[in-house]
Amino acid sequence: MAGGLWPSLLLMAAVVAAVALSRLGPGRRRGASLREFLSTFQICACTNELCLLAAAELPPPAALPLTYGLTVLHGVTLAGSAGNPCGTLQQAWAGAVRPRAAALRIGAQFAAAVLARGFMQLVWSLGAAEAHVGARWQRCGHPLQTTEVQAFFIELLFSAVFQLAVLRVDLIHPNLRVHFIALLITMLVYSGGNLTGAIFNPALAFSLHPYCFYENFLSYSLVYWLAPSLGKFLKMLSTLRKHNTCLFCMG
């Protein structure tokens, strides 16, 4: 497995490096949506590769540390970006972003999700890594391994838990915050990954499971779009103060 893992690690490293270089250029006004586009592209591309590895050859004891490591890497390299439509909605709700700007950022996030999936499918078709050869990525992988109602509440609960934790992240030493967020995401993935994937990010869900959305749009949009959004708003309604956190938000 180790030999087949290195090409995937190099691919994800190349994506992170390319996004980091691209994020250095744009100006502030026109760059907000572009930064969200690039951040979401990085998250979706790397997670697509990680999920393919997990489905092909990566055992859980290796998948979880890799999930943690990638989340830390995203947190360090994508600081200041949401990378998640729910995070952008939260900023708009708090008045930190105007509605039109929020709509543009969300559109950029979904565009990046689609482009990331297309890019990864192109890479997979080349068969450069063992995990890419014969991979069944041109069909729905049926990530819902429970009832739709249970899946809905799992995604809603995980989104709310994550955001409640983010509200308290200021209490943690700055050098440890990204590790706290990464550990929390890894724990949520471990807890619910076998049931829904524990995604709680609408753009990422669409990038990971496009064929599932095509086959059953209503069910998947309720579970992977509406549920995480409601989780964000439930968290906001439970607090009496506005909180605008731009810390990396994969969920």
Side-chain angles (χ1 to χ4, degrees):
M1 182 196 73
L5 184 62
W6 279 110
S8 293
L9 293 177
L10 291 175
L11 173 60
M12 289 186 281
V15 169
V16 172
V19 168
L21 290 175
S22 300
R23 280 168 55 91
L24 296 178
R28 182 175 178 180
R29 282 187 63 86
R30 70 181 182 86
S33 294
L34 181 57
R35 285 195 299 271
E36 288 299 333
F37 178 91
L38 293 170
S39 300
T40 307
F41 180 89
Q42 175 177 316
I43 294 170
C44 291
C46 292
T47 308
N48 266 285
E49 182 68 15
L50 179 59
C51 289
L52 187 69
L53 281 174
E57 59 180 14
L58 198 63
L64 290 175
L66 190 54
T67 299
Y68 172 83
L70 276 175
T71 307
V72 170
L73 183 61
H74 293 325
V76 172
T77 60
L78 303 180
S81 298
N84 185 339
C86 294
T88 303
L89 285 175
Q90 176 184 335
Q91 293 171 353
W93 179 280
V97 178
R98 293 182 177 180
R100 182 177 180 275
L104 289 175
R105 294 184 190 186
I106 291 173
Q109 289 161 347
F110 273 100
V114 173
L115 183 62
R117 178 67 181 200
F119 170 75
M120 295 307 297
Q121 288 186 178
L122 177 62
V123 173
W124 295 338
S125 67
L126 301 177
E130 294 179 14
H132 300 171
V133 179
R136 299 178 179 180
W137 44 263
Q138 292 181 317
R139 66 176 189 178
C140 175
H142 300 289
L144 299 183
Q145 298 299 314
T146 183
T147 66
E148 293 178 4
V149 174
Q150 289 179 333
F152 179 91
F153 283 105
I154 288 173
E155 289 292 314
L156 185 151
L157 176 63
F158 283 5
S159 178
V161 167
F162 178 79
Q163 286 303 313
L164 285 171
V166 168
L167 278 177
R168 299 291 180 262
V169 78
D170 290 340
L171 302 176
I172 301 175
H173 191 279
N175 293 338
L176 300 178
R177 290 174 187 172
V178 67
H179 296 281
F180 170 75
I181 295 297
L183 181 60
L184 176 61
I185 290 176
T186 304
M187 292 175 61
L188 293 177
V189 170
Y190 176 77
S191 300
N194 62 322
L195 298 176
T196 66
I199 302 172
F200 45 92
N201 181 332
L204 177 59
F206 189 68
S207 184
L208 293 177
H209 308 296
Y211 298 100
C212 299
F213 278 90
Y214 300 154
E215 291 180 8
N216 194 346
F217 179 80
L218 180 60
S219 295
Y220 281 86
S221 60
L222 287 174
V223 172
Y224 291 114
W225 290 358
L226 181 61
S229 300
L230 286 178
K232 306 285 185 181
F233 285 115
L234 286 177
K235 180 273 304 179
M236 287 186 285
L237 291 174
S238 68
T239 60
L240 298 178
R241 63 187 180 92
K242 293 181 180 179
H243 188 92
N244 179 29
T245 302
C246 280
L247 177 70
F248 161 70
C249 174
M250 186 174 181

